[in-house]
Amino acid sequence: MFLARLAGQPAHEVISAADMTGAAWLDLLRPTKEEIALAEKLTGLKMPRREDLEEIESSSRHYKLGEVIYLSTPLVRRDEEDVTAFPVGLVLSDSLLITVRYSDYMAFDTMGRDLASRDLDMPNPDASELALMLLEAMVNRLADVLEALGRSLDQVSRRVFAADTPRRRVRAAEMLRQTLRELGKNGDMASSVRDSLLGVDRIGIFLGDNGHYQTNTPLQLRLKIVGRDVASLNDFVAQTVNKIQFLLDATLGFISIEQNDGMKLLTVVSFVGIAPTLIAGIYGMNFKNIPELGWQNGYYYSLALMGFSMFVPLVWFWQRGWFGDR
């Protein structure tokens, strides 16, 4: 049996020492205190608590006690509404790999299915190979997350620079607000993926520096490949962060343009109203010597003059493109 799992089962369903026979991987999923105590009793190893896994200094995340290696890293998980990163701990001995995690992760499920589908005549992987397989699964999953993030940014880019941007000011403003929200979520995702890649890279460096795979050349080469994959993904993350910043600047620029258009409209309205107000003020003065007051059509003359004084600046603004494309 490759895998034994403690995942919040009732007390009468938890694994026993007999269940651990032949198991090379013990997976603790959202373990309770009782389950951690049971795992320590079954394996004889000290299990890291959640507060230990959440330490940020490298000396607390990666260390070696005797022949047992303790590792931890944050792993990003994207829900429909939120982006979260939960700590994952690895305890690696000569015969057993123990993982401690507080959330479901696709990489663990994928690796479990791969192990279950192995041919029976294939040699069973030991704890060291399982740890390397898990690192590879983490890197592959983070690569999938980055691919999805890249596709999301492409959609945002097409929407921001689309030629058929909504002309109605309310719809355009709502589109820009939604774009800012999406860019914020994508920025959080990129930051979390970068932290996860950094954690996986530190794990690989720690294992390499301690010579854990020194006597196994194939696994040592696979560990180097993991390091190169992480480096390439870090470059992709840096490019993604730059693209997010570019789209953010572009969106803010369009928002400034929308604000300038609003100020233009207010300017036109205020300017167009000045001349009619002046004319109305003149003819509203209480002077006897206003020749137009004695005209039979003086009232209509003043209305026409007001309309003409509004029409002229409107045409002037329109010819200069203040009302959009002609």
Side-chain angles (χ1 to χ4, degrees):
M1 179 175 64
F2 293 118
L3 171 64
R5 176 165 289 166
L6 283 174
Q9 302 100 322
H12 64 280
E13 295 181 4
V14 296
I15 61 177
S16 61
D19 298 323
M20 287 293 298
T21 303
W25 179 18
L26 175 61
D27 184 28
L28 306 181
L29 174 58
R30 288 185 290 270
T32 63
K33 293 181 180 180
E34 293 76 12
E35 289 172 342
I36 290 180
L38 175 60
E40 291 179 336
K41 180 179 178 181
L42 292 174
T43 62
L45 301 175
K46 177 181 179 297
M47 297 293 112
R49 273 55 176 178
R50 181 163 187 168
E51 54 270 18
D52 299 327
L53 301 179
E54 292 177 340
E55 294 287 347
I56 60 174
E57 60 269 21
S58 180
S59 59
S60 298
R61 283 189 174 182
H62 316 307
Y63 57 93
K64 189 173 183 180
L65 294 178
E67 298 300 322
V68 182
I69 297 176
Y70 291 83
L71 309 165
S72 67
T73 181
L75 272 187
V76 63
R77 178 184 176 183
R78 181 172 189 172
D79 299 325
E80 293 183 359
E81 299 295 336
D82 196 12
V83 175
T84 53
F86 291 94
V88 173
L90 285 75
V91 181
L92 180 59
S93 67
D94 292 334
S95 59
L96 184 62
L97 169 66
I98 304 171
T99 54
V100 183
R101 55 193 174 105
Y102 292 89
S103 179
D104 296 317
Y105 288 106
M106 184 68 69
F108 288 79
D109 297 335
T110 301
M111 181 173 168
R113 288 193 299 268
D114 291 342
L115 291 175
S117 61
R118 289 170 66 95
D119 295 334
L120 296 178
D121 56 347
M122 295 181 64
N124 294 336
D126 59 8
S128 297
E129 185 175 357
L130 286 173
L132 186 55
M133 291 173 62
L134 186 57
L135 289 180
E136 293 171 340
M138 290 179 182
V139 172
N140 290 336
R141 178 56 184 166
L142 291 173
D144 293 339
V145 173
L146 284 176
E147 290 175 2
L149 179 59
R151 289 192 295 270
S152 176
L153 288 177
D154 289 339
Q155 293 177 357
V156 173
S157 179
R158 286 192 293 269
R159 185 168 67 247
V160 170
F161 298 106
D164 56 346
T165 303
R167 285 194 168 277
R168 293 187 59 184
R169 195 173 305 278
V170 175
R171 292 179 56 192
E174 177 59 30
M175 185 272 288
L176 292 173
R177 281 194 292 267
Q178 179 63 26
T179 299
L180 287 177
R181 285 191 288 267
E182 291 185 21
L183 288 176
K185 291 181 180 180
N186 289 333
D188 289 341
M189 172 61 72
S191 177
S192 298
V193 170
R194 181 167 50 191
D195 292 341
S196 298
L197 287 172
L198 179 61
V200 173
D201 191 35
R202 286 178 174 176
I203 288 177
I205 293 175
F206 185 85
L207 292 174
D209 290 344
N210 280 272
H212 187 75
Y213 296 104
Q214 189 172 3
T215 59
N216 193 324
T217 302
L219 294 184
Q220 189 176 21
L221 292 176
R222 287 171 61 182
L223 182 62
K224 291 181 179 180
I225 293 175
V226 169
R228 289 198 293 268
D229 290 342
V230 170
S232 64
L233 291 179
N234 277 325
D235 293 338
F236 187 86
V237 170
Q239 178 183 353
T240 300
V241 171
N242 291 334
K243 186 172 183 178
I244 291 174
Q245 185 61 48
F246 168 72
L247 290 175
L248 179 61
D249 293 339
T251 303
L252 294 176
F254 281 118
I255 291 176
S256 298
I257 292 174
E258 288 292 325
Q259 291 175 342
N260 291 337
D261 289 341
M263 294 303 298
K264 283 183 178 181
L265 179 60
L266 293 177
T267 302
V268 170
V269 171
S270 60
F271 186 84
V272 168
I274 291 175
T277 303
L278 175 62
I279 295 172
I282 291 174
Y283 284 98
M285 286 189 262
N286 296 320
F287 295 129
K288 291 182 179 181
N289 191 18
I290 296 182
E292 294 85 353
L293 293 180
W295 292 2
Q296 182 178 359
N297 296 321
Y299 174 70
Y300 303 105
Y301 167 78
S302 64
L303 289 180
L305 189 59
M306 291 180 195
F308 181 76
S309 66
M310 296 175 61
F311 176 74
V312 170
L314 286 175
V315 172
W316 188 82
F317 286 121
W318 176 75
Q319 288 182 342
R320 279 154 181 75
W322 281 43
F323 299 136
D325 296 334
R326 290 183 287 172

